Amino acid sequence: MTEAPSIQYVKGVGPKLAEKLAVRGIRTAKDALFFFPKGYEDRRHILPLRALKAGMTAPVKGTVVGVHGGHRGFGGQRVFEVVISDGTGRLSAKWFHFHPSLAERFKVGETVVLCGPVRFFQFQNEMHHPEILGTAEEHDPIHLGRIVPVYPEVEGVPPRVMRRIQWEVVHRYAPSVKEFFPRWMLESAGVPPIQESLSALHFPPSGADASMLLSFSSPAQQRLIFGELFYIQWSLAKRRAGAMTEAAIPLHWDKEIVDEIKRRLPFSLTGAQRRVVNEILKDMSHPHPMHRLLQGDVGSGKTIVAWIAALVAWKKGAQTALMAPTEILVEQHYRRFLSLSEGLPVRIVLLTSSLSAARRKKLRAEIREGEAHIVIGTHAIIQEGVDFQRLGLGVVDEQHRFGVLQRATLRGKAATAPHLLVMTATPIPRTLAMTLYGDLDVSVIDEMPPGRTAVETKVVREGERKAAWERVRREIAGGGRVYIVLPLVEESEKLTLRDATRTADRVREAFPEIGVGLLHGRMKAEEKESVMRRFQSGGIRILVSTTVVEVGIDVPEATVMMIEHAERFGLSQLHQLRGRVGRGSRPSFCLLLVEGLQGEDAAARLSVMERTTDGFKIAEEDLKIRGPGDFAGVRQSGIPDLVFSDIVRDARMLYRSREIASDLLARDPGLSHPEHADLSRWIASKDAALPTIA
Ligand code: ADP
Ligand code: MG
């Protein structure tokens, strides 16, 4: 359909209806075609009244045996009631806004067909506000004898009218919609062409499988899901391919630097670390930029991997920029890099926004002149005025706090694209990683350094709190440190603050001999950092916190993570928090306190935490329960919102569309074959609607 005829020219739609439809954004026949049902009702069979059960929605047919007009119901409102019988049972149909025209439609002795949800009330079956289908419509192909669409409500347009409009629209216009996917792609995806899909989406064919429709697995729905997922996978495939043609400085390791690194390692690398180091160094040796995501659970040892990569870059005369989201993390990396590199003539500098202007100016000059080899900093690194002489490697730690945009800015800091290593401790399920980071290659550290004891995790119910506090007391007596985390009260920051302050006061009373600190969202960054530092050094030994304790912070002396109202957190978030303990040699504990009415449900959900410490398993669980929106990074990722698809439900189609996108890229990267002309136009129109990102 090239031109889009105004909705007013659809049979049965006059100026009045057109106005009401316009409020919902339906102005043209095309808008209407893409105004999809929110659900379906199976009206293929009229049910005997005896077979009705509360909760089902079904068409029924019967003789009117009673009409009771306009008496007052319980709430004092006027009720209009019609009782029908079909010989097997009776049904009472009720309307709560009486209108005289209703009464005219029902005469005792006449047969009517009604359809609506069944309720059971005072020993009888009822339907409230059922759709009235005259007997003449018994064979109506639109409203009865088929699976009918249920559209989202449009004010002033009754469902039956909406359905009839759509019937007209679909029959007249669906056949002229142009399919832009070539036949081979549709076949490969196993979906029908768009014309057929649209028509089946609105008015499913007689043999359609109602349960497939409800689970979005009908061929018609899969066609739209494929379109959406393919577009994302195609953009990512293009980006990957683009990177392959981009030039980068090849940074090939040599024996000398490898021996030097080996001598300096304070411990031997785990097998997983060795594997990812190989993957990374191999990428860096190519004349095209590396784009690699390094995933590894908290504590799996990503920092040393980054250090090795940075040293290889340095040996090859290239600079490294390492970015982390907070000053504390940046300083932690800086100290570790310094101690690992002690005695080597490599210059490592710290660039944060809290530097004095003079110091910053001097550092910028060093970076520009190439005297600073490894620059570790916050987002200050990507600010204007920081120019590298020869940036060869960019490392981004805790990726989800940086968006795609910042990654792109870092890439732009060098004349030739630097190699890029993105590190994250947030385990991301494979399906999600493919949409979020589909332009990156992925390395995974799936093994913990030896000597770690798993953090013993326990869900603590209301009656067991005392034992939990005993545990805290024992750990403190034994020299340990404790985190107490409170959830953010979403409705009110004041409430949260009061809760946190009160908790901190109580803890102070209970432990007068030690330092107790409080960390909350209202504090300035410097205040937060100073509290964290005192916790690191031991001046504070119990830290009460409302904000999620800084990602990646390393306090090996901390042995207890106690989380209040654990039921309000996502599993992945709890896993992150748990990763703050168990970093030293002492056994550690994670106590998940649940409260309130949902306590038992929550305890069941949280028991996953007791059973596994595998962040990927936990993330898969979370994705199933909460959907992708909650995953850090999804919102800033720059990928378009999914309208039809759900990456958990549609994982199979996601993989398929990725394969098809690579296929297409191999066959016709420029989309210049005539059979891809329409597809090319469609992609261009979608690209134009997107914010531009690198
Ligand atoms: P993360 O992956 O969370 O960033 P870190 O790099 O901070 O983890 O490492 C966590 C701790 O484990 C650090 O104290 C680090 O020195 C130590 N570590 C890393 N790799 C090993 C290893 N192979 N053997 C022993 N300890 C290690
Ligand atoms: Mg880290």
Side-chain angles (χ1 to χ4, degrees):
M1 188 161 49
T2 40
E3 85 286 23
S6 157
I7 193 73
Q8 246 199 81
Y9 301 113
V10 172
K11 196 176 142 201
V13 183
K16 279 233 174 73
L17 263 181
E19 220 169 85
K20 286 172 178 147
L21 292 168
V23 174
R24 281 299 297 249
I26 306 168
R27 291 188 181 81
T28 64
K30 189 174 172 191
D31 295 335
L33 266 182
F34 287 87
F35 185 73
F36 292 124
K38 64 174 189 203
Y40 299 91
E41 275 175 22
D42 189 347
R43 297 191 186 173
R44 284 177 293 190
H45 308 289
I46 288 186
L47 290 191
L49 290 175
R50 197 184 41 205
L52 294 184
K53 288 193 181 66
M56 54 171 48
T57 297
V60 295
K61 181 176 159 185
T63 310
V64 176
V65 294
V67 178
H68 313 284
H71 58 269
R72 294 207 181 264
F74 277 122
Q77 77 274 49
R78 282 177 169 293
V79 179
F80 178 70
E81 183 185 16
V82 172
V83 180
I84 64 167
S85 159
D86 69 350
T88 74
R90 286 178 169 239
L91 174 89
S92 152
K94 287 182 176 169
W95 284 262
F96 295 96
H97 351 275
F98 177 70
H99 195 272
S101 71
L102 258 178
E104 285 160 28
R105 304 191 60 166
F106 296 98
K107 301 264 171 340
V108 172
E110 281 184 359
T111 305
V112 291
V113 180
L114 301 174
C115 185
V118 180
R119 306 155 175 254
F120 190 69
F121 182 67
Q122 290 186 341
F123 309 106
Q124 65 170 1
N125 280 328
E126 296 191 343
M127 276 183 189
H128 295 178
H129 302 262
E131 224 177 281
I132 308 162
L133 303 155
T135 41
E137 280 160 322
E138 206 167 312
H139 303 288
D140 186 318
I142 306 180
H143 306 295
L144 200 59
R146 66 169 319 119
I147 297 175
V148 301
V150 179
Y151 291 97
E153 198 175 330
V154 179
E155 211 183 313
V157 185
R160 284 163 55 80
V161 174
M162 190 67 213
R163 203 177 293 132
R164 186 170 288 285
I165 295 172
Q166 293 295 62
W167 175 267
E168 291 297 330
V169 167
V170 168
H171 283 79
R172 243 186 92 189
Y173 297 104
S176 53
V177 173
K178 213 159 158 193
E179 176 56 89
F180 43 83
F181 282 126
R183 181 150 292 276
W184 75 266
M185 285 177 71
L186 295 175
E187 274 166 14
S188 185
V191 296
I194 189 76
Q195 303 85 354
E196 199 182 309
S197 301
L198 285 174
S199 128
L201 257 173
H202 289 281
F203 293 91
S206 55
D209 181 335
S211 67
M212 277 178 108
L213 281 164
L214 295 175
S215 62
F216 292 86
S217 52
S218 76
Q221 290 157 320
Q222 290 288 305
R223 161 63 184 79
L224 291 175
I225 290 167
F226 169 65
E228 191 166 75
L229 295 177
F230 166 79
Y231 174 69
I232 294 174
Q233 293 306 326
W234 171 256
S235 321
L236 293 168
K238 287 288 279 186
R239 239 191 265 175
R240 277 197 306 273
M244 288 306 296
T245 61
E246 237 179 319
I249 312 170
L251 303 171
H252 205 298
W253 75 92
D254 57 43
K255 190 165 167 354
E256 198 185 324
I257 189 70
V258 169
D259 288 344
E260 182 68 58
I261 289 169
K262 278 189 184 154
R263 265 199 305 280
R264 289 169 171 276
L265 286 178
F267 34 69
S268 56
L269 296 181
T270 61
Q273 282 170 321
R274 240 175 286 146
R275 192 186 65 237
V276 304
V277 165
N278 281 333
E279 287 166 351
I280 291 166
L281 295 188
K282 192 167 161 214
D283 277 5
M284 285 169 58
S285 70
H286 294 152
H288 305 296
M290 161 170 79
H291 287 176
R292 189 167 281 278
L293 176 71
L294 176 58
Q295 283 199 59
D297 227 329
V298 276
S300 62
K302 295 183 290 293
T303 314
I304 194 114
V305 172
W307 173 75
I308 293 171
L311 273 204
V312 168
W314 164 67
K315 188 68 195 312
K316 290 289 144 187
Q319 290 169 294
T320 293
L322 189 162
M323 283 203 296
T326 67
E327 305 229 334
I328 295 185
L329 277 180
V330 165
E331 282 174 23
Q332 189 173 290
H333 283 315
Y334 178 65
R335 281 196 303 272
R336 285 204 197 149
F337 270 53
L338 279 185
S339 92
L340 287 165
S341 321
E342 216 179 302
L344 285 177
V346 56
R347 176 146 169 76
I348 304 172
V349 302
L350 182 66
L351 188 73
T352 65
S353 40
S354 57
L355 294 178
S356 70
R359 175 98 188 115
R360 190 164 339 145
K361 189 156 171 242
K362 183 168 171 295
L363 280 183
R364 284 182 180 179
E366 277 187 33
I367 295 168
R368 197 166 43 244
E369 303 305 322
E371 289 154 20
H373 306 121
I374 300 178
V375 183
I376 302 181
T378 52
H379 57 270
I381 291 188
I382 53 170
Q383 268 157 12
E384 277 186 54
V386 183
D387 296 306
F388 287 79
Q389 191 216 30
R390 194 166 189 260
L391 182 61
L393 173 67
V395 182
V396 181
D397 192 18
E398 303 302 351
Q399 147 77 4
H400 57 275
R401 301 276 285 262
F402 291 103
V404 176
L405 275 174
Q406 282 98 327
R407 261 204 263 151
T409 319
L410 182 63
R411 207 177 293 169
K413 285 282 168 192
T416 36
H419 297 282
L420 193 64
L421 179 65
V422 170
M423 308 200 290
T424 177
T426 314
I428 298 161
R430 201 166 110 79
T431 49
L432 190 54
M434 270 175 48
T435 40
L436 271 185
Y437 304 123
D439 58 333
L440 303 177
D441 297 305
V442 178
S443 290
V444 180
I445 306 186
D446 51 7
E447 181 185 352
M448 284 289 174
R452 298 278 167 80
T453 45
V455 178
E456 195 183 317
T457 302
K458 189 160 171 14
V459 176
V460 179
R461 291 162 172 79
E462 289 220 42
E464 305 162 328
R465 295 179 64 102
K466 210 166 158 209
W469 280 102
E470 270 316 303
R471 163 60 61 197
V472 171
R473 192 166 284 286
R474 268 206 303 283
E475 287 304 308
I476 290 294
R481 281 173 223 170
V482 173
Y483 292 102
I484 300 176
V485 175
L486 305 168
L488 272 177
V489 179
E490 258 177 36
E491 308 84 71
S492 151
E493 212 176 319
K494 261 196 198 133
L495 264 180
T496 301
L497 193 53
R498 204 187 61 205
D499 267 11
T501 315
R502 215 188 304 141
T503 305
D505 287 345
R506 271 209 308 264
V507 175
R508 273 189 197 108
E509 265 168 46
F511 298 89
E513 71 286 359
I514 58 160
V516 174
L518 174 62
L519 208 60
H520 60 79
R522 286 266 180 96
M523 288 163 74
K524 291 206 187 75
E526 306 92 75
E527 291 178 279
K528 281 192 207 165
E529 302 235 348
S530 121
V531 170
M532 274 314 299
R533 284 207 175 87
R534 273 157 59 215
F535 187 60
Q536 265 177 331
S537 64
I540 288 174
R541 292 186 45 212
I542 299 184
L543 182 64
V544 179
S545 167
T546 62
T547 51
V548 170
V549 186
E550 293 303 341
V551 277
I553 201 73
D554 198 17
V555 182
E557 295 83 359
T559 52
V560 179
M561 168 60 68
M562 178 154 126
I563 301 169
E564 292 272 6
H565 285 291
E567 73 277 2
R568 297 200 197 154
F569 291 86
L571 297 176
S572 293
Q573 227 182 339
L574 292 174
H575 180 65
Q576 282 285 324
L577 288 170
R578 176 167 64 182
R580 302 298 115 226
V581 296
R583 308 197 131 223
S585 50
R586 289 158 53 102
S588 294
F589 302 86
C590 175
L591 305 171
L592 305 174
L593 276 52
V594 295
E595 250 175 77
L597 283 177
Q598 296 87 12
E600 272 317 301
D601 277 359
R605 180 171 69 89
L606 297 181
S607 67
V608 178
M609 301 293 298
E610 294 177 325
R611 290 194 302 273
T612 182
T613 53
D614 181 336
F616 284 91
K617 274 199 197 127
I618 290 170
E620 294 278 359
E621 250 343 277
D622 233 11
L623 185 59
K624 270 189 229 147
I625 301 173
R626 291 153 65 103
D630 271 0
F631 275 84
V634 172
R635 290 202 190 88
Q636 319 95 290
S637 66
I639 58 167
D641 283 342
L642 299 176
V643 178
F644 307 111
S645 331
D646 171 319
I647 58 170
V648 179
R649 188 190 64 206
D650 303 319
R652 203 193 58 85
M653 187 55 96
L654 180 63
Y655 296 132
R656 195 76 207 105
S657 58
R658 183 176 167 94
E659 283 162 19
I660 294 172
S662 326
D663 252 20
L664 179 62
L665 198 63
R667 289 183 192 209
D668 183 13
L671 301 182
S672 49
H673 294 184
E675 67 165 337
H676 299 147
D678 292 332
L679 179 60
S680 171
R681 263 192 295 279
W682 177 68
I683 288 172
S685 73
K686 289 195 60 111
D687 282 349
L690 274 182
T692 45
I693 45 178

Short mmCIF file of all heavy atoms in Angstrom, two decimals, residues 302-303 333 397-398 552, ligand 2:
data_model
loop_
_atom_site.label_atom_id
_atom_site.label_comp_id
_atom_site.label_asym_id
_atom_site.label_seq_id
_atom_site.Cartn_x
_atom_site.Cartn_y
_atom_site.Cartn_z
N LYS A 302 38.73 -9.92 36.78
CA LYS A 302 38.80 -9.26 35.48
C LYS A 302 39.92 -8.22 35.43
O LYS A 302 40.49 -7.96 34.39
CB LYS A 302 37.46 -8.59 35.17
CG LYS A 302 36.32 -9.57 35.00
CD LYS A 302 35.01 -8.91 34.62
CE LYS A 302 34.41 -8.08 35.74
NZ LYS A 302 33.95 -8.87 36.89
N THR A 303 40.23 -7.62 36.60
CA THR A 303 41.18 -6.52 36.61
C THR A 303 42.56 -6.94 36.07
O THR A 303 43.17 -6.23 35.27
CB THR A 303 41.35 -5.98 38.04
OG1 THR A 303 40.07 -5.83 38.62
CG2 THR A 303 42.08 -4.66 38.03
N HIS A 333 41.54 0.50 40.97
CA HIS A 333 42.27 0.02 39.79
C HIS A 333 43.67 0.63 39.73
O HIS A 333 44.64 -0.05 39.44
CB HIS A 333 41.54 0.41 38.50
CG HIS A 333 40.35 -0.44 38.20
ND1 HIS A 333 40.37 -1.81 38.30
CD2 HIS A 333 39.11 -0.11 37.78
CE1 HIS A 333 39.17 -2.28 37.96
NE2 HIS A 333 38.39 -1.27 37.65
N ASP A 397 35.22 -0.51 32.39
CA ASP A 397 34.84 -1.44 33.46
C ASP A 397 33.40 -1.18 33.89
O ASP A 397 32.96 -0.04 33.91
CB ASP A 397 35.78 -1.26 34.66
CG ASP A 397 35.62 -2.41 35.67
OD1 ASP A 397 35.08 -3.46 35.30
OD2 ASP A 397 36.05 -2.23 36.82
N GLU A 398 32.72 -2.23 34.26
CA GLU A 398 31.32 -2.13 34.69
C GLU A 398 30.51 -1.40 33.63
O GLU A 398 29.90 -0.37 33.85
CB GLU A 398 31.21 -1.43 36.05
CG GLU A 398 32.00 -2.10 37.15
CD GLU A 398 31.62 -3.57 37.39
OE1 GLU A 398 30.61 -4.03 36.83
OE2 GLU A 398 32.34 -4.24 38.13
N GLY A 552 31.72 -3.33 42.25
CA GLY A 552 33.13 -3.61 42.10
C GLY A 552 34.01 -3.26 43.28
O GLY A 552 35.21 -3.48 43.25
MG MG B 2 36.03 -5.29 38.95
#
